[in-house]
Amino acid sequence: MIVRTIENIKGTESEVTTPNWVSRRLLLKKDGMGFSFHETVIYAGTETPMQYLNHLEAVYCIEGEGEVETIEDGKVYPIKPGTLYALDQHDRHILRAKTQMRMACVFNPPCTGREVHGDNGAYPLEKAYEKPI
Ligand code: 9YT
């Protein structure tokens, strides 16, 4: 069994920081679960455009308030604790944090560790062609 805490992850290679968010990756590909599991803190007032071309992601809000917009149809969904969104269509989206938000995020296929968004808003696969948006 694997047991980890956020405190174990802070300050290690499994913590990835960007100007808009910090992601603490509690389970990664190397753990062999078939998915990765992250706790992501999104900073208040930020707006992050993303599209996971190579991954499916589910995001569950634990703390904070904001909204997610799907760019294709311009729909805006409010997010508060207890809300989940799943990017089942590799949806191009914008996440806006009104307050600081804490999210539990699951990725399939699993992230390997240090991923941040490329110019196309996606995380790369280990060995894969990635089409630009
Ligand atoms: C909610 C979201 O997608 N934020 C970007 C970071 C990502 N969740 C991650 O790598 O943990």
Side-chain angles (χ1 to χ4, degrees):
M1 189 165 78
I2 301 166
V3 179
R4 293 189 183 127
T5 68
I6 280 291
E7 293 312 316
N8 292 156
I9 302 293
K10 285 182 183 170
T12 71
E13 281 284 296
S14 297
E15 180 179 67
V16 174
T17 306
T18 75
N20 287 11
W21 48 262
V22 55
S23 171
R24 298 182 175 113
R25 295 162 178 181
L26 289 136
L27 288 172
L28 288 165
K29 185 179 178 188
K30 63 178 161 48
D31 296 310
M33 296 290 288
F35 58 85
S36 59
F37 185 94
H38 315 179
E39 184 186 87
T40 304
V41 174
I42 316 277
Y43 302 133
T46 57
E47 179 164 309
T48 311
M50 295 175 265
Q51 183 181 31
Y52 295 105
L53 292 169
N54 301 313
H55 297 81
L56 299 170
E57 186 196 25
V59 180
Y60 180 71
C61 177
I62 300 165
E63 240 174 54
E65 264 182 64
E67 63 181 31
V68 63
E69 176 176 345
T70 41
I71 293 171
E72 190 76 31
D73 57 11
K75 283 193 183 160
V76 177
Y77 303 87
I79 300 172
K80 61 180 187 186
T83 308
L84 173 134
Y85 65 87
L87 300 159
D88 62 329
Q89 303 298 318
H90 301 277
D91 315 63
R92 237 176 125 193
H93 62 290
I94 303 173
L95 181 61
R96 300 188 184 93
K98 192 169 157 192
T99 65
Q100 177 171 289
M101 302 170 87
R102 200 154 59 89
M103 318 288 239
C105 309
V106 175
F107 280 84
N108 171 23
C111 290
T112 57
R114 303 297 300 165
E115 288 92 344
V116 290
H117 298 104
D119 290 343
N120 62 359
Y123 289 169
L125 272 183
E126 274 176 290
K127 289 177 200 139
Y129 170 72
E130 191 171 294
K131 77 174 163 53
I133 50 176

